[in-house]
């Protein structure tokens, strides 16, 4: 039967539907249960609501599936991620249609990438040599389980270390580690935003506040590029809507990013800061706001603790003190401080720029303190503390007390380490055998070799292991080091329950829109099979994954999987954005107030008020240039460089270098140059520009592959090889953006 073309407008009107056209009635699949929906996947032509996973942003999408093949992906307006983050805006904007990003649009090219891993692979040559034998899945599971059992009985379960991405099947992987008995479950947050989390948790008691950019009048953003590193698909829209409504944007970044450029277009500022010095800038802004009595006296008096200690500390942190450290003039610091304090509502926010340095935790806390000083918290147009609800998975507790962790996550060395672990310490253990030597590592949807700073160290560390298992859709640099590679599924082939990152309760479903292309099992089924092969015949391994999800939904939200599947756009909306919740409940800090002063930190022998500590890995005489890295709209980390469409738009990364610096080094635009330091040396394509600080060079993260697919290989330069590879002192965050190099022709 000829398929019925749905006009875009009609499509949006019908955005509640899950199945349409060719024999299916328009409401079709959304009334079916999971099993029936699966069965119905053979129907000819459908639009199926689900969630993207080209990055971790979980944008709501509709996949058009014709004859069992995804042919088009469109945004899903019933899911707020593509629209906005405030409930009243959601109601207003829904009819205008949601957005998605280029990577989401190009998802089909990942799904049907000929270089995907199709069958389980067993290493037959030297580690990393790329010699494989295809083996049956059952054999792979049996052999891996046998090796795990051997390691456990010979030297203890903790010798197995498990690394996971956080968007996919986390509870079942945590369950596996608990039941098997290893404390060493590490997941992506440690590589991502735990420094930002630390800053906001210590001050306002919530690690993930969300900026209400659309309804604000002033935005002060440190080292975040929402217009290109679109953490959530609504960010470019709400930010630009805010600017169009008259807000002013001040963007702090060594580089004139897309967001900084937009700030300039709308009469705002780009502050070209020296890397790793955001904390100094924030303290100097606080110095002016306090010194000139511009702070919110009412909020400070009623809702904060430690103002006097904080004031005494910042008294010496004058703009004149900060100017040579940050490279931003004292006059500019004074002007921005005055504007910030006088323009309301205002959002102060930050992400990876300040966070991914060795002083990232305290820098983030200094920035967070500004929001308290000006009283711009949890009110419209400010930083909102999201009211989230979600599924409650029943994860079995450890069968016996867990041994000590390998990554020092719960040691005094990292007094505020996040539960996601300390990746660089786990790696250190593989190199030094201290505190003990791991024997096996699992990598589920992670490219450890590219994602943990200092590539050479990662390769050396993996070389010391007896068993490496990688579950990946590509033969990544990490998979290349493995003993067994298990073919992963894409987000279009599996389930996930996804609490959405907006300020009101929302949970969306990711569901298989097509069957796994090569008959392979989803990641969670592999974990279950492994547990069962090891004799762990317990919940959740002995029930279907659908049952595990259904139980979690029932426990957390009071409805089941089939209900969520039937909801408009497979998305549950559970209420409105609530403001100023602290008026009734206080802040979720020990004092119930916004904390300029942290007793928790003092108790651990640390400075209770945020201080500025310089990073140790800045420029030297030999390596005079800072090197940084970043993300861009067309790529995700190291995972999209084999996507043909995305690579046609941006097929290699360039080394950004300031025009004056380039001139002094005799470098012209598009020259091939050498980038070098004590950790790595490589060629890079120079991009000569005015849009980066004179003393800084940098590149988009994630290029320079030698594995990961035929398109990815040999394109651009791997940024991770130049980074020392340390962990932030307080929270253990991987310091991805510290480093210095020399560059020559
Ligand atoms: N130098 C530097 N390092 C960084 C960063 C940086 O800015 N600079 N950013 C850091 C941040 S913020 C983060 S969050 C981390 C992210 O680090 P990772 O989570 O490691 O992300 P990727 O590098 O994209 O690697 C993901 C891997 O999963 C595979 N994959 C993709 N989709 C699927 C799937 O559906 N199933 C399976 N099984 N596999 C899949 C990909 O092929 C790839 O090998 O990186 C961190 N590392
Ligand atoms: N397109 C795309 N979007 C993404 C991702 C992706 O891979 N691709 N990943 C997602 C993830 S997991 C995350 S965590 C977010 C991260 O989103 P962002 O935080 O925006 O990530 P980055 O681009 O790594 O870093 C932000 C900026 O920090 C700047 N910077 C470096 N050092 C410093 C410094 O010392 N101070 C200041 N002020 N700035 C500095 C860089 O120039 C860069 O512009 O993006 C998410 N969104
Ligand atoms: Mo991240």
């Amino acid at each position: 039967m000829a398929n019925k073309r749905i006009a875009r407008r009609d499509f949006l009107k019908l955005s509640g539907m899950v199945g349409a056209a060719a024999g299916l009635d328009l409401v079709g699949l959304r009334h079916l249960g999971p099993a029936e929906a699966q069965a119905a996947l053979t129907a000819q032509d459908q639009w199926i609501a689900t969630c993207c996973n080209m990055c971790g942003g979980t944008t709501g999408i509709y996949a058009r599936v014709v004859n069992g093949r995804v042919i088009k992906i469109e945004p899903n307006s019933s899911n707020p991620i593509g629209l906005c983050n405030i409930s009243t805006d959601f109601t207003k904007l829904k009819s205008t249609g949601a957005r998605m990003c280029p990577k989401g649009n190009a998802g089909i090219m990942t799904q049907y990438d000929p270089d995907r891993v199709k069958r389980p692979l067993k290493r037959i040559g030297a580690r990393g040599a790329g010699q494989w034998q295809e083996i049956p899945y059952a054999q792979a599971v049996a052999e891996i389980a046998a090796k795990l059992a051997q390691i456990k009985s010979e030297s203890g379960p903790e010798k197995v270390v498990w690394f996971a991405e956080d968007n996919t099947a986390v509870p079942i992987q945590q369950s596996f580690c608990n039941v098997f008995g290893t404390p060493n479950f590490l997941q992506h947050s440690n590589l991502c935003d735990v420094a930002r989390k630390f800053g906001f948790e210590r001050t306002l008691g919530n690690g993930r506040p969300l900026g209400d950019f659309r309804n604000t009048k002033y935005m002060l953003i440190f080292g975040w590029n929402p217009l290109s590193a679109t953490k959530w698909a609504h960010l470019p829209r709400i930010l630009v809507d805010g600017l169009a409504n008259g807000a002013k944007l001040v963007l702090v970044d060594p580089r004139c990013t897309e967001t900084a450029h937009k700030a300039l277009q709308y009469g705002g500022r780009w502050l070209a800061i020296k890397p790793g010095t955001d904390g100094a800038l924030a303290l100097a802004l606080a110095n002016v706001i306090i010194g000139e009595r511009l702070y919110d006296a009412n909020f400070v008096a009623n809702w904060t603790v430690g103002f006097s200690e904080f004031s005494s500390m910042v008294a010496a942190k004058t703009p004149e003190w900060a100017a040579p450290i940050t490279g931003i003039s004292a006059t500019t610091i004074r002007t921005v401080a005055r504007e910030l304090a006088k323009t309301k509502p205002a959002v102060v926010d930050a992400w990876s720029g300040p966070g991914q340095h060795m002083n990232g935790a305290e820098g983030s806390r200094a920035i967070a303190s500004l929001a308290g000083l000006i009283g711009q918290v949890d009110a419209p147009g400010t930083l909102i503390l999201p009211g989230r609800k979600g599924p409650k998975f029943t994860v079995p507790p450890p069968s016996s007390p867990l041994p000590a962790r390998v990554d020092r996550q719960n040691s005094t060395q990292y007094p505020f380490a996040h539960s996601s672990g300390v990746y660089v310490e786990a790696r250190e253990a593989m190199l030094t055998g201290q505190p003990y030597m791991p024997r096996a590592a699992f990598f589920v949807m992670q490219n450890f070799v590219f994602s943990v700073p200092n590539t050479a160290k990662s390769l050396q560390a993996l070389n010391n292991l007896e068993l490496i298992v990688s579950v990946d859709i590509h033969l990544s640099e990490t998979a290349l080091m493995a003993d067994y590679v298990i073919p992963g599924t894409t987000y279009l082939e599996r389930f996930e329950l996804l609490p959405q990152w907006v300020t009101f309760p929302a949970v969306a479903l990711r569901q298989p829109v097509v069957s796994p292309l090569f008959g392979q099992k989803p990641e969670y089924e592999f974990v279950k099979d492994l547990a069962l092969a090891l004799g762990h015949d317990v919940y959740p391994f002995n029930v279907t994954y659908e049952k595990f999800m259904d139980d979690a939904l029932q426990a957390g939200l009071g409805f089941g999987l089939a209900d969520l599947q039937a909801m408009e756009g497979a998305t549950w909306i559970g209420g409105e954005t609530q403001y100023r919740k602290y008026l009734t409940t206080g802040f979720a800090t020990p004092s119930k107030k916004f904390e300029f002063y942290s007793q928790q930190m003092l108790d651990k022998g640390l400075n209770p008020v945020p201080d500025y500590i310089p990073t140790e890995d800045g420029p030297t005489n030999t390596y005079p240039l800072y090197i940084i890295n970043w993300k861009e709209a067309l790529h995700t980390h190291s995972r999209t460089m084999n996507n043909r469409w995305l690579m046609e738009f941006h097929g290699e990364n360039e080394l950004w270098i300031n025009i004056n610096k380039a001139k002094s080094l005799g470098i012209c635009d598009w020259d091939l140059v050498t980038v070098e330091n004590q950790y790595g040396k490589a060629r890079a394509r120079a991009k000569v520009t005015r849009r980066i600080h004179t003393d800084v060079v940098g590149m988009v993260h994630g290029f320079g592959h030698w594995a990961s697919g035929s398109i990815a290989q040999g394109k651009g330069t791997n940024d991770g090889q130049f980074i020392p590879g340390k962990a932030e002192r307080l929270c253990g965050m991987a310091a991805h953006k510290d480093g210095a190099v020399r560059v020559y022709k």
Side-chain angles (χ1 to χ4, degrees):
M1 195 185 297
N3 92 57
K4 219 184 290 166
R5 174 91 187 113
I6 303 172
R8 186 175 162 78
R9 185 180 299 138
D10 294 338
F11 172 72
L12 293 171
K13 263 195 238 151
L14 292 168
S15 64
M17 78 193 178
V18 180
L24 272 180
D25 73 273
L26 288 186
V27 280
L29 284 180
R30 70 187 175 108
H31 295 301
L32 304 179
E36 295 156 291
Q38 275 287 5
L41 289 182
T42 51
Q44 259 192 318
D45 188 346
Q46 316 153 41
W47 286 97
I48 302 173
T50 187
C51 289
C52 189
N53 197 184
M54 287 296 286
C55 78
T58 73
T59 303
I61 53 173
Y62 275 96
R64 184 173 184 186
V65 180
V66 176
N67 293 328
R69 221 179 144 81
V70 185
I71 61 156
K72 184 82 179 83
I73 295 174
E74 288 277 343
N76 167 354
S77 304
S78 305
N79 183 316
I81 289 293
L83 281 156
C84 56
N85 62 6
I86 303 288
S87 62
T88 45
D89 287 342
F90 182 49
T91 313
K92 268 185 265 171
L93 296 176
K94 232 178 132 172
S95 60
T96 65
R99 312 279 163 91
M100 58 193 273
C101 83
K103 295 168 283 122
N105 268 298
I108 296 174
M109 300 309 279
T110 293
Q111 172 68 20
Y112 298 112
D113 184 336
D115 292 338
R116 278 183 65 178
V117 179
K118 300 174 186 70
R119 268 164 287 281
L121 302 175
K122 179 180 180 175
R123 174 168 74 85
I124 47 171
R127 191 177 287 296
Q131 287 162 297
W132 307 102
Q133 182 191 0
E134 285 189 0
I135 58 170
Y137 174 77
Q139 182 190 339
V141 171
E143 289 184 11
I144 295 166
K147 185 73 189 170
L148 288 181
Q150 184 201 341
I151 292 175
K152 183 171 171 171
S153 72
E154 283 174 2
S155 51
E158 71 276 19
K159 303 302 183 308
V160 176
V161 188
W162 194 291
F163 299 89
E165 196 261 0
D166 79 339
N167 213 256
T168 304
V170 167
I172 198 127
Q173 295 179 72
Q174 177 74 66
S175 301
F176 179 89
C177 290
N178 283 357
V179 170
F180 181 75
T182 178
N184 297 316
F185 179 61
L186 292 87
Q187 43 106 350
H188 126 290
S189 302
N190 171 255
L191 299 177
C192 183
D193 70 330
V194 299
R196 180 185 187 268
K197 282 195 171 89
F198 170 92
F200 285 116
E201 254 160 31
R202 294 282 85 60
T203 49
L204 50 71
N206 183 309
R208 266 282 176 94
L210 302 174
D212 180 6
F213 298 114
R214 192 162 187 275
N215 303 294
T216 196
K217 287 290 172 239
Y218 200 86
M219 315 175 200
L220 173 61
I221 301 181
F222 294 78
W224 194 23
N225 188 17
L227 293 199
S228 189
T230 42
K231 182 105 191 147
W232 299 293
H234 59 252
L235 281 169
R237 175 184 200 159
I238 63 171
L239 198 130
V240 174
D241 277 1
L243 292 174
N245 290 336
K248 183 161 182 175
L249 168 58
V250 176
L251 200 290
V252 184
D253 199 302
R255 192 169 67 91
C256 184
T257 60
E258 293 78 358
T259 313
H261 190 252
K262 193 59 85 180
L264 295 174
Q265 281 181 326
Y266 280 85
R269 293 170 193 276
W270 164 41
L271 304 187
I273 196 166
K274 285 189 201 166
T277 67
D278 297 75
L281 175 60
L283 294 178
L285 292 167
N287 170 288
V288 177
I289 293 171
I290 296 173
E292 299 186 5
R293 300 189 180 285
L294 299 173
Y295 54 89
D296 183 334
N298 185 34
F299 183 82
V300 165
N302 294 311
W303 290 106
T304 71
V305 293
F307 178 70
S308 64
E309 290 88 345
F310 184 59
S311 303
S312 333
M313 211 279 300
V314 300
K317 311 293 189 202
T318 60
E320 284 69 22
W321 164 81
I325 298 174
T326 59
I328 296 162
S329 78
T331 315
T332 303
I333 297 175
R334 284 208 166 77
T335 310
V336 170
R338 290 171 190 149
E339 284 175 5
L340 171 66
K342 290 178 183 169
T343 322
K344 285 175 184 175
V347 180
V348 180
D349 207 345
W351 215 282
S352 313
Q356 297 184 346
H357 287 280
M358 281 302 284
N359 56 8
E362 282 296 73
S364 300
R365 187 160 71 118
I367 292 167
S369 298
L370 291 172
L373 267 190
I374 57 173
Q376 296 299 290
V377 178
D378 215 26
T382 74
L383 265 185
I384 312 284
L385 281 52
R388 301 181 91 219
K389 286 182 191 155
K392 282 199 175 67
F393 286 95
T394 305
V395 172
S399 35
S400 49
L402 292 175
R405 285 182 69 117
V406 76
D407 63 352
R408 303 174 196 275
Q409 181 267 345
N410 49 5
S411 76
T412 49
Q413 197 173 332
Y414 297 100
F416 287 93
H418 186 256
S419 56
S420 55
V422 184
Y423 274 60
V424 304
E425 289 292 351
R427 180 178 65 189
E428 215 54 34
M430 296 173 196
L431 289 166
T432 63
Q434 295 301 324
Y436 53 85
M437 188 71 196
R439 292 178 63 184
F442 280 72
F443 300 98
V444 179
M445 200 177 163
Q446 282 207 317
N447 193 2
F448 185 91
V449 174
F450 264 49
S451 307
V452 183
N454 194 328
T455 315
K457 255 193 175 184
S458 295
L459 289 171
Q460 214 185 329
L462 296 188
N463 246 324
N464 292 342
L465 297 175
E466 282 166 54
L467 172 70
I468 300 175
V469 179
S470 166
V471 185
D472 205 300
I473 56 171
H474 282 107
L475 204 50
S476 71
E477 284 69 17
T478 308
L480 192 61
M481 295 295 285
D483 297 273
Y484 295 90
V485 183
I486 303 295
T489 50
T490 69
Y491 62 101
L492 298 165
E493 300 168 337
R494 64 167 181 260
F495 278 110
E496 195 63 48
L497 300 177
L498 300 160
Q500 301 287 281
W501 281 108
V502 291
T503 60
F504 51 102
V507 174
L509 179 67
R510 175 176 296 139
Q511 58 183 331
V513 304
V514 288
S515 313
L517 202 51
F518 317 106
Q520 79 279 32
K521 289 197 181 182
E523 287 69 359
Y524 39 80
E525 298 293 347
F526 167 66
V527 178
K528 280 175 56 184
D529 289 342
L530 201 58
L532 293 172
L534 281 157
H536 302 305
D537 191 7
V538 294
Y539 188 92
F541 312 120
N542 61 5
V543 297
T544 64
Y545 193 71
E546 285 82 343
K547 163 96 172 112
F548 186 40
M549 289 190 293
D550 195 61
D551 292 346
L553 280 170
Q554 292 290 0
L557 301 169
F559 58 80
L561 182 60
D563 302 310
L564 180 56
Q565 211 156 22
M567 285 175 199
E568 182 182 299
T571 305
W572 171 77
I573 304 293
E576 307 269 294
T577 304
Q578 305 292 323
Y579 299 104
R580 296 193 180 83
K581 299 176 280 294
Y582 59 87
L583 294 178
T584 49
T585 58
F587 289 97
T589 55
S591 64
K592 298 270 181 236
K593 299 269 177 85
F594 185 103
E595 299 194 344
F596 295 115
Y597 179 100
S598 168
Q599 184 65 39
Q600 270 179 327
M601 291 194 66
L602 188 66
D603 292 347
K604 298 198 182 205
L606 298 162
N607 198 341
V609 291
D611 200 357
Y612 171 68
I613 315 145
T615 64
E616 64 225 36
D617 294 305
T620 61
N621 287 338
T622 324
Y623 304 115
L625 294 167
Y626 291 96
I627 186 158
I628 58 167
N629 52 72
W630 55 82
K631 332 226 203 277
E632 63 159 354
L634 288 162
H635 287 285
T636 297
H637 306 299
S638 79
R639 83 177 68 153
T640 47
M641 286 72 194
N642 209 59
N643 184 298
R644 188 174 293 281
W645 285 355
L646 296 172
M647 289 298 274
E648 274 175 22
F649 281 112
H650 194 194
E652 74 176 324
N653 61 350
E654 307 85 23
L655 181 81
W656 288 36
I657 183 165
N658 180 276
I659 188 164
N660 297 319
K661 185 61 67 179
K663 214 179 263 176
S664 75
L665 295 171
I667 292 168
C668 296
D669 195 40
W670 219 240
D671 275 351
L672 270 175
V673 297
T674 301
V675 187
E676 182 180 355
N677 67 7
Q678 58 274 54
Y679 310 105
K681 179 178 176 181
R683 302 282 275 169
R685 182 76 68 189
K687 172 183 165 120
V688 174
T689 173
R690 287 173 208 286
R691 291 175 60 169
I692 191 162
H693 190 289
T694 334
D695 300 328
V696 183
V697 294
M699 59 182 87
V700 173
H701 167 59
F703 281 85
H705 290 273
W706 59 87
S708 293
S710 54
I711 301 175
Q713 283 164 28
K715 309 276 167 61
T717 310
N718 161 27
D719 55 314
Q721 68 188 306
F722 304 113
I723 313 171
K726 299 180 188 169
E728 200 278 342
R729 295 175 193 82
L730 299 176
C731 65
M733 168 90 216
H736 297 297
K737 298 197 190 333
D738 270 331
V741 291
R742 66 193 178 105
V743 176
Y744 53 93
K745 230 177 121 165

